Amino acid sequence: MKITAFSKIAFATALIISLIGISALQGVKASELQRVTFSDVQKSQWYASTIEWGISLNMVKGYADGTYKPNKTVTEAEFLAMLIRAFEPNLTSDGKIHWADPYYVRAKQMNYPVKSYTQITPRNSIILRKQVAEIISAAEGVHFTGDDAIHYLLAFGLANGSDPTKPSIQGFHGELKLTRAEALQFIKNLYENGVGGLLERPQEATDPRDIPDF
Protein backbone atom coordinates (compact mmCIF):
# COMPACT_ATOMS: atom_id res chain seq x y z
CA MET A 1 0.00 0.00 0.00
CA LYS A 2 1.51 3.35 -0.97
CA ILE A 3 1.89 6.02 1.69
CA THR A 4 0.15 9.32 0.99
CA ALA A 5 -0.39 12.56 2.87
CA PHE A 6 -3.85 11.28 3.75
CA SER A 7 -2.57 8.11 5.41
CA LYS A 8 0.02 10.11 7.37
CA ILE A 9 -2.70 12.44 8.64
CA ALA A 10 -4.83 9.46 9.63
CA PHE A 11 -1.90 7.96 11.53
CA ALA A 12 -1.20 11.21 13.34
CA THR A 13 -4.85 11.54 14.30
CA ALA A 14 -4.88 7.98 15.61
CA LEU A 15 -1.78 8.63 17.70
CA ILE A 16 -3.19 11.79 19.29
CA ILE A 17 -6.51 10.18 20.15
CA SER A 18 -4.87 7.05 21.53
CA LEU A 19 -2.71 9.15 23.85
CA ILE A 20 -5.73 11.09 25.11
CA GLY A 21 -8.16 8.24 25.57
CA ILE A 22 -6.18 5.02 25.73
CA SER A 23 -7.39 4.08 29.20
CA ALA A 24 -11.02 4.46 28.21
CA LEU A 25 -10.82 2.56 24.94
CA GLN A 26 -8.79 -0.51 25.87
CA GLY A 27 -9.65 -3.51 23.70
CA VAL A 28 -11.38 -6.45 25.33
CA LYS A 29 -8.94 -9.32 25.81
CA ALA A 30 -9.95 -12.82 24.82
CA SER A 31 -9.76 -13.94 28.45
CA GLU A 32 -12.22 -11.20 29.43
CA LEU A 33 -14.92 -12.11 26.92
CA GLN A 34 -18.27 -12.95 28.39
CA ARG A 35 -18.87 -16.61 27.63
CA VAL A 36 -22.41 -16.82 26.35
CA THR A 37 -23.78 -19.86 24.56
CA PHE A 38 -26.34 -19.45 21.82
CA SER A 39 -28.04 -22.46 20.28
CA ASP A 40 -27.43 -21.11 16.76
CA VAL A 41 -23.76 -20.13 17.21
CA GLN A 42 -21.04 -22.77 17.07
CA LYS A 43 -17.44 -22.15 18.14
CA SER A 44 -16.21 -23.13 14.68
CA GLN A 45 -18.15 -20.36 12.95
CA TRP A 46 -16.23 -17.23 11.94
CA TYR A 47 -18.40 -14.89 13.97
CA ALA A 48 -18.41 -16.82 17.27
CA SER A 49 -15.65 -14.81 18.98
CA THR A 50 -16.97 -11.56 17.50
CA ILE A 51 -20.38 -12.16 19.05
CA GLU A 52 -18.75 -12.87 22.43
CA TRP A 53 -16.88 -9.58 22.06
CA GLY A 54 -20.07 -7.66 21.32
CA ILE A 55 -21.88 -9.23 24.26
CA SER A 56 -18.98 -8.33 26.57
CA LEU A 57 -19.28 -4.66 25.61
CA ASN A 58 -23.08 -4.72 26.05
CA MET A 59 -23.48 -3.67 22.45
CA VAL A 60 -26.07 -6.31 21.69
CA LYS A 61 -28.03 -9.11 23.35
CA GLY A 62 -29.39 -12.46 22.35
CA TYR A 63 -33.05 -13.42 22.03
CA ALA A 64 -35.30 -14.91 24.69
CA ASP A 65 -35.31 -18.27 22.90
CA GLY A 66 -31.55 -18.65 23.46
CA THR A 67 -30.47 -17.67 19.94
CA TYR A 68 -28.41 -14.81 18.59
CA LYS A 69 -29.73 -14.95 15.01
CA PRO A 70 -26.41 -14.04 13.36
CA ASN A 71 -27.91 -13.96 9.86
CA LYS A 72 -30.87 -11.75 10.77
CA THR A 73 -30.80 -8.40 8.98
CA VAL A 74 -30.10 -5.18 10.86
CA THR A 75 -31.95 -1.88 10.70
CA GLU A 76 -30.22 1.47 10.49
CA ALA A 77 -31.21 2.23 14.10
CA GLU A 78 -29.85 -1.09 15.36
CA PHE A 79 -26.50 -0.62 13.63
CA LEU A 80 -26.15 2.97 14.80
CA ALA A 81 -26.90 1.92 18.37
CA MET A 82 -24.31 -0.88 18.24
CA LEU A 83 -21.68 1.49 16.87
CA ILE A 84 -22.17 4.23 19.44
CA ARG A 85 -22.49 1.78 22.36
CA ALA A 86 -19.03 0.39 21.51
CA PHE A 87 -17.36 3.77 22.07
CA GLU A 88 -19.82 5.68 24.25
CA PRO A 89 -21.42 3.06 26.53
CA ASN A 90 -23.00 5.64 28.82
CA LEU A 91 -25.41 6.71 26.10
CA THR A 92 -28.57 4.67 26.62
CA SER A 93 -31.63 3.90 24.51
CA ASP A 94 -34.18 5.87 26.50
CA GLY A 95 -35.85 7.82 23.72
CA LYS A 96 -39.35 9.13 24.49
CA ILE A 97 -40.69 8.78 20.95
CA HIS A 98 -38.39 6.06 19.57
CA TRP A 99 -35.95 3.90 21.49
CA ALA A 100 -33.03 5.05 19.32
CA ASP A 101 -33.63 8.81 19.74
CA PRO A 102 -30.42 9.40 21.79
CA TYR A 103 -28.32 7.68 19.14
CA TYR A 104 -29.77 9.82 16.37
CA VAL A 105 -29.20 12.97 18.40
CA ARG A 106 -25.58 11.92 18.71
CA ALA A 107 -25.39 11.06 15.00
CA LYS A 108 -26.63 14.54 14.14
CA GLN A 109 -24.04 16.11 16.42
CA MET A 110 -21.36 14.10 14.60
CA ASN A 111 -22.82 14.72 11.12
CA TYR A 112 -23.12 10.99 10.40
CA PRO A 113 -24.89 10.01 7.16
CA VAL A 114 -28.11 8.40 8.37
CA LYS A 115 -31.25 8.53 6.22
CA SER A 116 -33.05 10.88 8.60
CA TYR A 117 -32.25 12.33 12.01
CA THR A 118 -35.91 12.70 12.94
CA GLN A 119 -38.17 10.39 10.91
CA ILE A 120 -39.00 6.99 12.37
CA THR A 121 -39.63 4.98 9.20
CA PRO A 122 -36.09 5.26 7.77
CA ARG A 123 -34.67 4.14 11.11
CA ASN A 124 -36.51 0.84 10.78
CA SER A 125 -35.32 0.16 7.23
CA ILE A 126 -32.73 -2.56 6.68
CA ILE A 127 -29.28 -1.06 6.33
CA LEU A 128 -27.09 -1.96 3.35
CA ARG A 129 -23.38 -2.67 3.57
CA LYS A 130 -22.65 0.41 1.44
CA GLN A 131 -24.31 2.69 3.99
CA VAL A 132 -22.37 0.94 6.74
CA ALA A 133 -19.15 1.87 4.91
CA GLU A 134 -20.30 5.49 4.76
CA ILE A 135 -21.09 5.61 8.48
CA ILE A 136 -17.89 3.88 9.56
CA SER A 137 -15.70 6.09 7.40
CA ALA A 138 -17.57 9.10 8.82
CA ALA A 139 -16.66 7.91 12.31
CA GLU A 140 -13.01 8.13 11.22
CA GLY A 141 -13.38 11.85 10.57
CA VAL A 142 -13.61 11.72 6.77
CA HIS A 143 -16.47 12.33 4.35
CA PHE A 144 -16.92 9.70 1.66
CA THR A 145 -19.92 8.15 -0.07
CA GLY A 146 -20.57 4.99 -2.07
CA ASP A 147 -17.56 3.21 -3.54
CA ASP A 148 -15.17 5.79 -2.06
CA ALA A 149 -16.35 4.90 1.44
CA ILE A 150 -15.89 1.21 0.66
CA HIS A 151 -12.42 1.94 -0.74
CA TYR A 152 -11.53 3.70 2.51
CA LEU A 153 -12.53 0.71 4.65
CA LEU A 154 -10.56 -1.69 2.49
CA ALA A 155 -7.48 0.56 2.39
CA PHE A 156 -7.27 0.93 6.17
CA GLY A 157 -8.10 -2.64 7.18
CA LEU A 158 -11.62 -1.89 8.41
CA ALA A 159 -13.07 -4.50 6.03
CA ASN A 160 -11.80 -7.35 3.87
CA GLY A 161 -14.64 -8.13 1.50
CA SER A 162 -15.64 -11.63 0.52
CA ASP A 163 -12.03 -12.63 -0.30
CA PRO A 164 -9.44 -11.23 2.16
CA THR A 165 -6.60 -12.21 -0.19
CA LYS A 166 -8.06 -10.10 -3.01
CA PRO A 167 -9.97 -7.16 -1.53
CA SER A 168 -12.07 -5.25 -4.03
CA ILE A 169 -14.97 -2.85 -4.07
CA GLN A 170 -17.04 -5.38 -5.99
CA GLY A 171 -16.17 -8.09 -3.47
CA PHE A 172 -17.41 -5.87 -0.65
CA HIS A 173 -20.98 -6.37 -1.93
CA GLY A 174 -22.22 -2.94 -0.94
CA GLU A 175 -25.77 -3.58 -2.10
CA LEU A 176 -26.31 -6.54 0.21
CA LYS A 177 -28.26 -6.23 3.44
CA LEU A 178 -26.27 -6.24 6.67
CA THR A 179 -26.58 -9.12 9.14
CA ARG A 180 -26.19 -9.10 12.91
CA ALA A 181 -22.92 -11.01 12.74
CA GLU A 182 -21.52 -8.68 10.08
CA ALA A 183 -22.56 -5.60 12.05
CA LEU A 184 -20.50 -6.65 15.04
CA GLN A 185 -17.52 -7.55 12.86
CA PHE A 186 -17.49 -4.14 11.17
CA ILE A 187 -17.61 -2.39 14.54
CA LYS A 188 -14.94 -4.68 15.99
CA ASN A 189 -12.68 -3.84 13.05
CA LEU A 190 -13.19 -0.13 13.74
CA TYR A 191 -12.67 -0.60 17.46
CA GLU A 192 -9.39 -2.44 16.97
CA ASN A 193 -7.98 -0.83 13.83
CA GLY A 194 -9.57 2.62 13.73
CA VAL A 195 -8.43 5.97 15.09
CA GLY A 196 -9.46 5.11 18.65
CA GLY A 197 -12.83 6.80 19.01
CA LEU A 198 -15.73 8.37 17.18
CA LEU A 199 -14.78 11.47 15.19
CA GLU A 200 -17.03 14.09 13.61
CA ARG A 201 -17.58 13.87 9.86
CA PRO A 202 -16.51 17.05 8.02
CA GLN A 203 -19.20 19.02 6.21
CA GLU A 204 -17.19 19.05 3.00
CA ALA A 205 -16.48 15.86 1.08
CA THR A 206 -12.97 14.44 1.40
CA ASP A 207 -10.96 14.09 -1.81
CA PRO A 208 -11.04 10.38 -2.76
CA ARG A 209 -7.67 10.76 -4.48
CA ASP A 210 -6.13 10.88 -1.01
CA ILE A 211 -7.21 7.33 -0.18
CA PRO A 212 -4.24 4.93 -0.41
CA ASP A 213 -4.35 1.79 -2.52
CA PHE A 214 -5.32 -1.53 -0.94
Side-chain angles (χ1 to χ4, degrees), residues 191-204:
Y191 193 93
E192 295 179 345
N193 302 319
V195 297
L198 299 179
L199 299 184
E200 183 177 347
R201 184 181 71 154
Q203 293 292 333
E204 298 295 326

Side-chain angles (χ1 to χ4, degrees), residues 31 58 61 68 81 101-103 117 167 172 176 181 184 190 204 208:
S31 59
N58 295 317
K61 297 180 180 179
Y68 177 78
D101 282 345
Y103 301 113
Y117 295 119
F172 183 86
L176 292 183
L184 287 182
L190 178 64
E204 298 295 326

